[in-house]
């Protein structure tokens, strides 16, 4: 069941952190949206990552209506999903059903997964999976109100990307994420 798979995912994540604490290198298979919204392709990618020694699968979750203005979504973009950026982004985003599928698949394959979250609706959706860890990508480093929501969430481990940021951001993270285990 999904609930059992969620529990297994958290156990697998905990084991991953324990191995990392013992000095074992953990390999994150960054799938982002390369599955192109295709569940079969996602499954094949996960299986290949597992077979090649990945320690954990990472996806991304975003709500395109929050991250992009209507003008940005309507802008021209050529893709297999249509002619606008909005059509493309909608085509490559994982649905809740696909995330549920991923959870069950990863539990069966004995490999944990986690996700980058880029906005509040995505954090709220991912919270349904009771995540032990999530990632705050550097692309949202200026979104302090949202980052505070992550800091106040029940998620224990937070991967925080710091690319293209400076010392002031690092200081801000230390101050605002003091109750979290920061990676």
């Amino acid at each position: 069941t999904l609930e059992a798979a969620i529990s297994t995912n958290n156990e697998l994540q905990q084991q991953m952190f324990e191995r990392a604490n013992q000095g074992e290198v953990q390999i994150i298979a960054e799938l982002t949206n390369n599955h192109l919204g295709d569940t079969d392709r996602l499954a094949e990618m996960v299986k290949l990552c597992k077979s090649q020694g990945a320690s954990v699968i990472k996806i991304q979750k975003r709500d395109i209506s929050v991250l992009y203005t209507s003008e940005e979504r309507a802008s021209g973009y050529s893709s297999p999903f249509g002619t606008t950026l909005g059509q493309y982004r909608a085509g490559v985003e994982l649905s809740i059903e696909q995330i549920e599928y991923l959870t069950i698949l990863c539990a069966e394959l004995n490999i944990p997964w986690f996700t980058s979250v880029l906005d509040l609706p995505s954090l709220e959706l991912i919270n349904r999976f009771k995540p032990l860890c999530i990632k705050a990508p550097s692309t949202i480093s200026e979104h302090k109100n949202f980052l505070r929501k992550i800091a106040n969430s029940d998620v224990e481990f937070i991967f925080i990307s710091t690319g293209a940021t400076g010392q002031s951001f690092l200081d801000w993270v230390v101050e605002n994420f003091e109750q979290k285990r920061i990676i």
Side-chain angles (χ1 to χ4, degrees):
T1 68
L2 179 59
E3 285 302 315
I6 289 170
S7 179
T8 298
N9 189 53
N10 284 341
E11 291 169 17
L12 291 170
Q13 286 180 7
Q14 187 64 48
Q15 293 168 14
M16 175 192 67
F17 286 117
E18 289 169 7
R19 289 191 309 272
N21 284 338
Q22 295 169 0
E24 184 180 315
V25 172
Q26 302 302 295
I27 300 170
I28 299 172
E30 173 81 45
L31 301 186
T32 61
N33 298 110
N34 292 318
H35 45 76
L36 301 175
D38 182 313
T39 303
D40 292 335
R41 183 179 174 125
L42 174 67
E44 185 63 25
M45 291 173 72
V46 169
K47 291 173 186 175
L48 286 170
C49 291
K50 170 73 177 178
S51 74
Q52 295 302 306
S55 308
V56 61
I57 301 296
K58 192 186 92 47
I59 60 170
Q60 288 183 352
K61 188 61 185 151
R62 70 178 55 84
D63 183 320
I64 63 170
S65 65
V66 171
L67 286 179
Y68 300 98
T69 65
S70 58
E71 292 82 18
E72 289 170 322
R73 291 191 308 272
S75 67
Y77 193 94
S78 179
S79 78
F81 306 104
T83 58
T84 68
L85 178 63
Q87 290 169 324
Y88 167 71
R89 292 295 344 158
V92 299
E93 290 300 322
L94 287 171
S95 67
I96 185 72
E97 294 81 12
Q98 288 172 316
I99 296 171
E100 290 171 351
Y101 175 82
L102 174 71
T103 304
I104 293 168
L105 175 65
C106 286
E108 290 172 355
L109 295 174
N110 205 38
I111 186 168
W113 71 270
F114 75 104
T115 186
S116 293
V117 290
L118 286 92
D119 52 71
L120 186 56
S122 297
L123 177 62
E124 291 169 346
L125 183 140
I126 292 301
N127 277 337
R128 296 181 195 177
F129 297 90
K130 304 173 188 122
L132 185 62
C133 65
I134 59 172
K135 180 182 176 193
S138 58
T139 54
I140 62 167
S141 62
E142 296 297 318
H143 299 229
K144 300 292 195 303
N145 288 335
F146 173 56
L147 288 168
R148 284 186 192 94
K149 297 276 188 192
I150 293 174
N152 292 321
S153 73
D154 291 333
V155 179
E156 181 179 354
F157 295 89
I158 310 292
F159 288 82
I160 298 183
S161 286
T162 58
T165 65
Q167 186 63 46
S168 63
F169 179 69
L170 297 175
D171 294 340
W172 186 90
V173 165
V174 168
E175 178 181 324
N176 286 274
F177 284 80
E178 63 186 351
Q179 301 302 316
K180 299 294 179 191
R181 298 176 90 181
I182 301 172
I183 302 156

